[in-house]
Amino acid sequence: MNIRLFTQTDQPAWDEFALNHPEGTFFHLIGWKKVIERTFRHKSYYIIAEKQNKIVGILPSFVVKSPLFGKSLVSVAFGAYGGVLALNEDITSALLNKAQEITRKENLDYFETRNLYRQDPDLPVKDLYYTFRREILPDVEDNLKAIPRKARRMVRVGADKYKLRSETGRDDLLQEFYEIYARSVRHLGSPVYPKALFRNFLREFKKDCEILLVRTPEGKAIAGVMSFFYKGEVLPYYAGSLPEGKEVAANDFMYWELMKYGCENGYKVFDFGRSKKDTGSFAFKRHWGFEPEPLHYQYYLYNLKDIPNISPVNPRYQRRIELWKRLPLPVTKFLGPMIVKYIP
């Protein structure tokens, strides 16, 4: 077995392997590598295991070095899932060993692998993130009936009482979406991504990346979500809403419109994405009838003794988060991209 690094000529075979592997995800695709490199300039190590010149395993990863948050190798940066895709356990071990070798070579603090399932029984696991996935039924009305009563009522409140409507598009909706997203994450106390990230996603993934906006009867956009589409799955990944959206059930209406869109276009799975346990988004997804499944984020520690905790739920960051919420929006839009590139 040969372990080596990705070259540009490997893209067709890499993506074919990811698409055909039962645990492959949108974040394993080479398009994700291109967008993250283009936007943030992080160094990547995309590792290939091959036998007889045929790919039998892959591991995508990025080096992220921050004076505030430490130095890490992450599989995969800014993605909910990542980690090894391999044909057997021996190949998985070989790829993880290579990642650990790179961690030592680069003198990084740790290697983090973001897995749907546990990949190494010896690496410690962080119990923080959960994912929420559910089948999209073939009939639109059956999907509506599958939503718990209280959440279903909020969908109807948005649609019938407040006459909200949705619009789906791409670059034509980017500016409105970004303004909503920037305000929303500032309200949460989080730094915002640069607009270039979303523009690069749209350009790289084309029809597999779209924006859905929720508008009032007067045409004002009050909520929006950027979604990815992968192998029959709908993945709402970046979302936000204005404060007035809460009063008119904009979020419930938005996710229903996206689920309905998925149903009408033949998608089979609604992937509500990851949430930290005991947070508002975690509760919202359970309120929608989705059951949490733990994600297995595992760590190889090199220059650290304990698993790092750079999550906003860490109490040490609470004062900074409250300060960020009080900053003027233009300031957060200027400073946010310079900070968030180091929080993968």
Side-chain angles (χ1 to χ4, degrees), residues 270-292:
F270 195 87
D271 185 334
F272 230 149
R274 73 177 185 184
S275 288
K276 305 173 192 74
K277 65 179 180 179
D278 302 324
T279 61
S281 64
F282 184 98
F284 180 84
K285 293 168 186 179
R286 294 203 72 175
H287 178 70
W288 260 63
F290 285 70
E291 286 301 317

PDB file of all heavy atoms in Angstrom, residues 270-292:
ATOM      1  N   PHE A 270     -32.892  14.954   4.500  1.00  0.00           N
ATOM      2  CA  PHE A 270     -32.731  16.328   4.975  1.00  0.00           C
ATOM      3  C   PHE A 270     -31.712  16.287   6.103  1.00  0.00           C
ATOM      4  O   PHE A 270     -31.963  15.719   7.165  1.00  0.00           O
ATOM      5  CB  PHE A 270     -34.062  16.884   5.480  1.00  0.00           C
ATOM      6  CG  PHE A 270     -34.077  18.377   5.660  1.00  0.00           C
ATOM      7  CD1 PHE A 270     -34.386  19.211   4.600  1.00  0.00           C
ATOM      8  CD2 PHE A 270     -33.791  18.959   6.892  1.00  0.00           C
ATOM      9  CE1 PHE A 270     -34.410  20.594   4.752  1.00  0.00           C
ATOM     10  CE2 PHE A 270     -33.815  20.328   7.058  1.00  0.00           C
ATOM     11  CZ  PHE A 270     -34.128  21.152   5.981  1.00  0.00           C
ATOM     12  N   ASP A 271     -30.532  16.862   5.840  1.00  0.00           N
ATOM     13  CA  ASP A 271     -29.454  16.876   6.823  1.00  0.00           C
ATOM     14  C   ASP A 271     -29.454  18.244   7.488  1.00  0.00           C
ATOM     15  O   ASP A 271     -28.967  19.229   6.928  1.00  0.00           O
ATOM     16  CB  ASP A 271     -28.117  16.604   6.136  1.00  0.00           C
ATOM     17  CG  ASP A 271     -26.952  16.489   7.110  1.00  0.00           C
ATOM     18  OD1 ASP A 271     -27.050  17.082   8.204  1.00  0.00           O
ATOM     19  OD2 ASP A 271     -25.964  15.822   6.789  1.00  0.00           O
ATOM     20  N   PHE A 272     -30.004  18.306   8.716  1.00  0.00           N
ATOM     21  CA  PHE A 272     -30.134  19.571   9.429  1.00  0.00           C
ATOM     22  C   PHE A 272     -28.792  20.047   9.980  1.00  0.00           C
ATOM     23  O   PHE A 272     -28.708  21.109  10.595  1.00  0.00           O
ATOM     24  CB  PHE A 272     -31.137  19.401  10.580  1.00  0.00           C
ATOM     25  CG  PHE A 272     -32.197  20.470  10.625  1.00  0.00           C
ATOM     26  CD1 PHE A 272     -33.456  20.177  11.103  1.00  0.00           C
ATOM     27  CD2 PHE A 272     -31.942  21.760  10.214  1.00  0.00           C
ATOM     28  CE1 PHE A 272     -34.445  21.148  11.162  1.00  0.00           C
ATOM     29  CE2 PHE A 272     -32.910  22.743  10.273  1.00  0.00           C
ATOM     30  CZ  PHE A 272     -34.168  22.431  10.752  1.00  0.00           C
ATOM     31  N   GLY A 273     -27.745  19.258   9.808  1.00  0.00           N
ATOM     32  CA  GLY A 273     -26.414  19.693  10.202  1.00  0.00           C
ATOM     33  C   GLY A 273     -26.127  19.515  11.677  1.00  0.00           C
ATOM     34  O   GLY A 273     -26.936  19.029  12.452  1.00  0.00           O
ATOM     35  N   ARG A 274     -24.926  19.928  12.053  1.00  0.00           N
ATOM     36  CA  ARG A 274     -24.478  19.730  13.424  1.00  0.00           C
ATOM     37  C   ARG A 274     -24.922  20.876  14.325  1.00  0.00           C
ATOM     38  O   ARG A 274     -25.123  22.010  13.870  1.00  0.00           O
ATOM     39  CB  ARG A 274     -22.953  19.620  13.479  1.00  0.00           C
ATOM     40  CG  ARG A 274     -22.241  20.939  13.258  1.00  0.00           C
ATOM     41  CD  ARG A 274     -20.728  20.816  13.400  1.00  0.00           C
ATOM     42  NE  ARG A 274     -20.105  22.132  13.294  1.00  0.00           N
ATOM     43  CZ  ARG A 274     -18.803  22.337  13.308  1.00  0.00           C
ATOM     44  NH1 ARG A 274     -17.972  21.317  13.383  1.00  0.00           N
ATOM     45  NH2 ARG A 274     -18.317  23.563  13.214  1.00  0.00           N
ATOM     46  N   SER A 275     -25.081  20.571  15.595  1.00  0.00           N
ATOM     47  CA  SER A 275     -25.322  21.578  16.628  1.00  0.00           C
ATOM     48  C   SER A 275     -24.615  21.131  17.894  1.00  0.00           C
ATOM     49  O   SER A 275     -24.455  19.932  18.143  1.00  0.00           O
ATOM     50  CB  SER A 275     -26.818  21.742  16.911  1.00  0.00           C
ATOM     51  OG  SER A 275     -27.476  22.392  15.847  1.00  0.00           O
ATOM     52  N   LYS A 276     -24.216  22.107  18.684  1.00  0.00           N
ATOM     53  CA  LYS A 276     -23.650  21.782  19.994  1.00  0.00           C
ATOM     54  C   LYS A 276     -24.790  21.425  20.944  1.00  0.00           C
ATOM     55  O   LYS A 276     -25.854  22.054  20.912  1.00  0.00           O
ATOM     56  CB  LYS A 276     -22.855  22.959  20.539  1.00  0.00           C
ATOM     57  CG  LYS A 276     -21.767  23.461  19.620  1.00  0.00           C
ATOM     58  CD  LYS A 276     -21.146  24.728  20.167  1.00  0.00           C
ATOM     59  CE  LYS A 276     -20.272  25.388  19.110  1.00  0.00           C
ATOM     60  NZ  LYS A 276     -21.069  26.051  18.060  1.00  0.00           N
ATOM     61  N   LYS A 277     -24.570  20.424  21.774  1.00  0.00           N
ATOM     62  CA  LYS A 277     -25.613  20.019  22.702  1.00  0.00           C
ATOM     63  C   LYS A 277     -25.931  21.160  23.669  1.00  0.00           C
ATOM     64  O   LYS A 277     -25.083  21.984  24.004  1.00  0.00           O
ATOM     65  CB  LYS A 277     -25.205  18.762  23.473  1.00  0.00           C
ATOM     66  CG  LYS A 277     -24.012  18.926  24.390  1.00  0.00           C
ATOM     67  CD  LYS A 277     -23.724  17.625  25.125  1.00  0.00           C
ATOM     68  CE  LYS A 277     -22.530  17.775  26.058  1.00  0.00           C
ATOM     69  NZ  LYS A 277     -22.252  16.513  26.792  1.00  0.00           N
ATOM     70  N   ASP A 278     -27.193  21.197  24.080  1.00  0.00           N
ATOM     71  CA  ASP A 278     -27.679  22.185  25.041  1.00  0.00           C
ATOM     72  C   ASP A 278     -27.599  23.612  24.511  1.00  0.00           C
ATOM     73  O   ASP A 278     -27.379  24.567  25.261  1.00  0.00           O
ATOM     74  CB  ASP A 278     -26.927  22.083  26.374  1.00  0.00           C
ATOM     75  CG  ASP A 278     -27.027  20.704  27.000  1.00  0.00           C
ATOM     76  OD1 ASP A 278     -28.099  20.085  26.868  1.00  0.00           O
ATOM     77  OD2 ASP A 278     -26.050  20.250  27.609  1.00  0.00           O
ATOM     78  N   THR A 279     -27.770  23.782  23.189  1.00  0.00           N
ATOM     79  CA  THR A 279     -27.828  25.114  22.596  1.00  0.00           C
ATOM     80  C   THR A 279     -29.205  25.325  21.974  1.00  0.00           C
ATOM     81  O   THR A 279     -30.000  24.395  21.841  1.00  0.00           O
ATOM     82  CB  THR A 279     -26.755  25.293  21.509  1.00  0.00           C
ATOM     83  OG1 THR A 279     -26.970  24.330  20.462  1.00  0.00           O
ATOM     84  CG2 THR A 279     -25.357  25.101  22.095  1.00  0.00           C
ATOM     85  N   GLY A 280     -29.462  26.567  21.565  1.00  0.00           N
ATOM     86  CA  GLY A 280     -30.755  26.878  20.960  1.00  0.00           C
ATOM     87  C   GLY A 280     -30.997  26.131  19.669  1.00  0.00           C
ATOM     88  O   GLY A 280     -32.116  25.663  19.423  1.00  0.00           O
ATOM     89  N   SER A 281     -29.976  26.010  18.824  1.00  0.00           N
ATOM     90  CA  SER A 281     -30.171  25.299  17.559  1.00  0.00           C
ATOM     91  C   SER A 281     -30.411  23.813  17.793  1.00  0.00           C
ATOM     92  O   SER A 281     -31.174  23.172  17.054  1.00  0.00           O
ATOM     93  CB  SER A 281     -28.960  25.500  16.644  1.00  0.00           C
ATOM     94  OG  SER A 281     -27.797  24.928  17.203  1.00  0.00           O
ATOM     95  N   PHE A 282     -29.772  23.248  18.813  1.00  0.00           N
ATOM     96  CA  PHE A 282     -29.997  21.846  19.187  1.00  0.00           C
ATOM     97  C   PHE A 282     -31.463  21.644  19.555  1.00  0.00           C
ATOM     98  O   PHE A 282     -32.130  20.713  19.082  1.00  0.00           O
ATOM     99  CB  PHE A 282     -29.080  21.492  20.362  1.00  0.00           C
ATOM    100  CG  PHE A 282     -29.125  20.051  20.798  1.00  0.00           C
ATOM    101  CD1 PHE A 282     -28.155  19.161  20.358  1.00  0.00           C
ATOM    102  CD2 PHE A 282     -30.105  19.584  21.657  1.00  0.00           C
ATOM    103  CE1 PHE A 282     -28.172  17.827  20.772  1.00  0.00           C
ATOM    104  CE2 PHE A 282     -30.136  18.262  22.075  1.00  0.00           C
ATOM    105  CZ  PHE A 282     -29.168  17.380  21.621  1.00  0.00           C
ATOM    106  N   ALA A 283     -31.998  22.543  20.393  1.00  0.00           N
ATOM    107  CA  ALA A 283     -33.397  22.445  20.823  1.00  0.00           C
ATOM    108  C   ALA A 283     -34.353  22.655  19.650  1.00  0.00           C
ATOM    109  O   ALA A 283     -35.383  21.976  19.545  1.00  0.00           O
ATOM    110  CB  ALA A 283     -33.673  23.463  21.931  1.00  0.00           C
ATOM    111  N   PHE A 284     -34.025  23.587  18.750  1.00  0.00           N
ATOM    112  CA  PHE A 284     -34.882  23.873  17.602  1.00  0.00           C
ATOM    113  C   PHE A 284     -35.031  22.640  16.719  1.00  0.00           C
ATOM    114  O   PHE A 284     -36.133  22.304  16.276  1.00  0.00           O
ATOM    115  CB  PHE A 284     -34.292  25.032  16.798  1.00  0.00           C
ATOM    116  CG  PHE A 284     -35.092  25.411  15.581  1.00  0.00           C
ATOM    117  CD1 PHE A 284     -36.175  26.269  15.689  1.00  0.00           C
ATOM    118  CD2 PHE A 284     -34.761  24.906  14.327  1.00  0.00           C
ATOM    119  CE1 PHE A 284     -36.914  26.622  14.557  1.00  0.00           C
ATOM    120  CE2 PHE A 284     -35.490  25.252  13.204  1.00  0.00           C
ATOM    121  CZ  PHE A 284     -36.576  26.113  13.322  1.00  0.00           C
ATOM    122  N   LYS A 285     -33.944  21.940  16.476  1.00  0.00           N
ATOM    123  CA  LYS A 285     -33.990  20.766  15.600  1.00  0.00           C
ATOM    124  C   LYS A 285     -34.762  19.614  16.252  1.00  0.00           C
ATOM    125  O   LYS A 285     -35.490  18.878  15.570  1.00  0.00           O
ATOM    126  CB  LYS A 285     -32.572  20.357  15.219  1.00  0.00           C
ATOM    127  CG  LYS A 285     -31.890  21.387  14.331  1.00  0.00           C
ATOM    128  CD  LYS A 285     -30.401  21.152  14.172  1.00  0.00           C
ATOM    129  CE  LYS A 285     -29.752  22.287  13.393  1.00  0.00           C
ATOM    130  NZ  LYS A 285     -28.293  22.134  13.231  1.00  0.00           N
ATOM    131  N   ARG A 286     -34.619  19.467  17.554  1.00  0.00           N
ATOM    132  CA  ARG A 286     -35.419  18.453  18.248  1.00  0.00           C
ATOM    133  C   ARG A 286     -36.894  18.833  18.208  1.00  0.00           C
ATOM    134  O   ARG A 286     -37.765  17.961  18.086  1.00  0.00           O
ATOM    135  CB  ARG A 286     -34.944  18.307  19.692  1.00  0.00           C
ATOM    136  CG  ARG A 286     -33.534  17.752  19.828  1.00  0.00           C
ATOM    137  CD  ARG A 286     -33.296  17.119  21.171  1.00  0.00           C
ATOM    138  NE  ARG A 286     -34.009  15.847  21.290  1.00  0.00           N
ATOM    139  CZ  ARG A 286     -33.902  15.031  22.330  1.00  0.00           C
ATOM    140  NH1 ARG A 286     -33.130  15.371  23.353  1.00  0.00           N
ATOM    141  NH2 ARG A 286     -34.564  13.903  22.380  1.00  0.00           N
ATOM    142  N   HIS A 287     -37.171  20.127  18.314  1.00  0.00           N
ATOM    143  CA  HIS A 287     -38.542  20.630  18.240  1.00  0.00           C
ATOM    144  C   HIS A 287     -39.174  20.271  16.894  1.00  0.00           C
ATOM    145  O   HIS A 287     -40.388  20.099  16.800  1.00  0.00           O
ATOM    146  CB  HIS A 287     -38.516  22.149  18.450  1.00  0.00           C
ATOM    147  CG  HIS A 287     -39.845  22.812  18.353  1.00  0.00           C
ATOM    148  ND1 HIS A 287     -40.841  22.650  19.296  1.00  0.00           N
ATOM    149  CD2 HIS A 287     -40.359  23.656  17.421  1.00  0.00           C
ATOM    150  CE1 HIS A 287     -41.903  23.362  18.950  1.00  0.00           C
ATOM    151  NE2 HIS A 287     -41.632  23.982  17.808  1.00  0.00           N
ATOM    152  N   TRP A 288     -38.330  20.125  15.881  1.00  0.00           N
ATOM    153  CA  TRP A 288     -38.800  19.763  14.552  1.00  0.00           C
ATOM    154  C   TRP A 288     -38.915  18.256  14.362  1.00  0.00           C
ATOM    155  O   TRP A 288     -39.231  17.783  13.270  1.00  0.00           O
ATOM    156  CB  TRP A 288     -37.857  20.352  13.492  1.00  0.00           C
ATOM    157  CG  TRP A 288     -38.411  21.607  12.896  1.00  0.00           C
ATOM    158  CD1 TRP A 288     -38.679  22.788  13.527  1.00  0.00           C
ATOM    159  CD2 TRP A 288     -38.782  21.800  11.525  1.00  0.00           C
ATOM    160  NE1 TRP A 288     -39.170  23.703  12.648  1.00  0.00           N
ATOM    161  CE2 TRP A 288     -39.248  23.126  11.404  1.00  0.00           C
ATOM    162  CE3 TRP A 288     -38.738  20.991  10.396  1.00  0.00           C
ATOM    163  CZ2 TRP A 288     -39.695  23.647  10.200  1.00  0.00           C
ATOM    164  CZ3 TRP A 288     -39.178  21.517   9.197  1.00  0.00           C
ATOM    165  CH2 TRP A 288     -39.653  22.820   9.110  1.00  0.00           C
ATOM    166  N   GLY A 289     -38.645  17.493  15.413  1.00  0.00           N
ATOM    167  CA  GLY A 289     -38.807  16.054  15.348  1.00  0.00           C
ATOM    168  C   GLY A 289     -37.577  15.297  14.899  1.00  0.00           C
ATOM    169  O   GLY A 289     -37.653  14.083  14.630  1.00  0.00           O
ATOM    170  N   PHE A 290     -36.424  15.960  14.812  1.00  0.00           N
ATOM    171  CA  PHE A 290     -35.178  15.302  14.439  1.00  0.00           C
ATOM    172  C   PHE A 290     -34.495  14.775  15.699  1.00  0.00           C
ATOM    173  O   PHE A 290     -34.418  15.475  16.707  1.00  0.00           O
ATOM    174  CB  PHE A 290     -34.233  16.272  13.729  1.00  0.00           C
ATOM    175  CG  PHE A 290     -34.611  16.577  12.307  1.00  0.00           C
ATOM    176  CD1 PHE A 290     -35.735  17.342  12.017  1.00  0.00           C
ATOM    177  CD2 PHE A 290     -33.853  16.103  11.249  1.00  0.00           C
ATOM    178  CE1 PHE A 290     -36.084  17.642  10.714  1.00  0.00           C
ATOM    179  CE2 PHE A 290     -34.189  16.386   9.942  1.00  0.00           C
ATOM    180  CZ  PHE A 290     -35.318  17.160   9.669  1.00  0.00           C
ATOM    181  N   GLU A 291     -33.979  13.565  15.623  1.00  0.00           N
ATOM    182  CA  GLU A 291     -33.291  12.973  16.759  1.00  0.00           C
ATOM    183  C   GLU A 291     -31.782  13.193  16.640  1.00  0.00           C
ATOM    184  O   GLU A 291     -31.196  12.955  15.583  1.00  0.00           O
ATOM    185  CB  GLU A 291     -33.579  11.472  16.846  1.00  0.00           C
ATOM    186  CG  GLU A 291     -34.981  11.159  17.334  1.00  0.00           C
ATOM    187  CD  GLU A 291     -35.263  11.733  18.724  1.00  0.00           C
ATOM    188  OE1 GLU A 291     -34.370  11.631  19.598  1.00  0.00           O
ATOM    189  OE2 GLU A 291     -36.349  12.298  18.916  1.00  0.00           O
ATOM    190  N   PRO A 292     -31.140  13.642  17.708  1.00  0.00           N
ATOM    191  CA  PRO A 292     -29.698  13.896  17.642  1.00  0.00           C
ATOM    192  C   PRO A 292     -28.884  12.607  17.574  1.00  0.00           C
ATOM    193  O   PRO A 292     -29.197  11.625  18.243  1.00  0.00           O
ATOM    194  CB  PRO A 292     -29.417  14.650  18.953  1.00  0.00           C
ATOM    195  CG  PRO A 292     -30.509  14.214  19.885  1.00  0.00           C
ATOM    196  CD  PRO A 292     -31.715  13.988  19.022  1.00  0.00           C
TER     197      PRO A 292
END
